[in-house]
Structures are given as structure tokens and as C-alpha cells.
Amino acid sequence: MRAFREAVEAGDLGAVEALLAEDVVFTSPVVFKPYEGKAITAAILGAVVKVFEDFRYVSELSSEDGRDHALVFATRVGERALDGCDFIHVDENGLIDRFMVMVRPLSGAQALAAAMGARFEEIAKEAAARESEARTAS
């Protein structure tokens, strides 16, 4: 998980995307239905980088087999401070195949939902462009 954490902390979205499995499932803290696929997950994470301010990981836990990780973070969305956790599972190839985010408090989650909702159209366009690039490359 070191590569993922370092990529996030450096703001290297290309490196983050390279660590995602094609069939990754992303579960948002503010949307009921999970998002499926590398393109939409990468687009969401790209938007999150713009929304989160003063982001920092504060703790990390890993399972004995190294496939499950919990990365605890602190950040802000506007004036709202939030604490959260990225729960990450990697597949047999070491790629992230499940990514679930949880945040607290409710007021922070609401600020996150509003900020991400305002970017939804941009996120959808970026995901479509990524999917198109992937189809062209293969």
C-alpha cells in the first residue's frame, strides 16, 4: 500500500490510476450505489483531490496477508474538517479491486457530497474520455 499512499500524498493521479484494477469497485461515503470500473474510479479520485484540502494520512493498518488495508486520513472540505478512512483490498496481482471510503462527521460528509455533486458532470465526462482512451489503446 506504500505505492498508493505515496502517490496520493504526492498528488500523482497517474500513479494512483496505475494501481487500480480494471474491475475495481469504488464505494463512496455519500452515494448509495458503488461505482464499477477503473475509468470512473480514477475520475472520482481526481475530483476528490480538488475537493479535499490539507489532506494527510495519519495512520495505516494492514492485514497479515497484505491484501486488506485501512488508511486513516484527516482533511477539510471548505470550512468543514473531516476524518475518514480508505478501506482498500488488492487482488492477486497487487492491484486495487475494492476501494471504500468512510468519513465523519455528518456535516463533513454533507460538505463532501455537495462539493462532489457540483463536479458530477465533469467526473462523468472524464470517465467517458478515459473509457474511450482505454478502448482505443486495446
Side-chain angles (χ1 to χ4, degrees):
M1 209 36 41
R2 181 183 183 112
F4 175 80
R5 183 175 177 167
E6 288 176 355
V8 169
E9 291 173 336
D12 186 348
L13 296 176
V16 170
E17 184 175 0
L19 295 169
L20 300 174
E22 289 297 328
D23 62 348
V24 62
V25 176
F26 178 81
T27 304
S28 165
V30 296
V31 177
F32 177 73
K33 181 181 175 191
Y35 295 95
E36 297 181 12
K38 185 175 186 172
I40 189 66
T41 300
I44 290 168
L45 295 176
V48 167
V49 168
K50 296 173 188 171
V51 168
F52 281 170
E53 301 171 52
D54 302 325
F55 179 89
R56 64 203 175 285
Y57 283 116
V58 297
S59 182
E60 181 176 342
L61 304 167
S62 296
S63 64
E64 283 188 32
D65 67 2
R67 294 189 64 185
D68 290 288
H69 306 273
L71 300 172
V72 180
F73 62 85
T75 191
R76 269 186 317 107
V77 175
E79 297 300 314
R80 298 290 179 189
L82 353 131
D83 298 305
C85 191
D86 293 336
F87 293 96
I88 297 170
H89 181 269
V90 295
D91 65 16
E92 60 279 351
N93 299 314
L95 296 175
I96 298 168
D97 63 353
R98 289 194 313 263
F99 192 131
M100 179 175 64
V101 180
M102 299 182 84
V103 297
R104 64 154 307 280
L106 178 58
S107 61
Q110 290 168 329
L112 176 60
M116 292 297 287
R119 289 172 169 73
F120 182 77
E121 188 174 320
E122 173 188 332
I123 292 167
K125 285 180 183 176
E126 184 175 336
R130 288 173 184 272
E131 287 174 352
S132 178
E133 284 177 21
R135 279 192 298 272
T136 303
S138 56

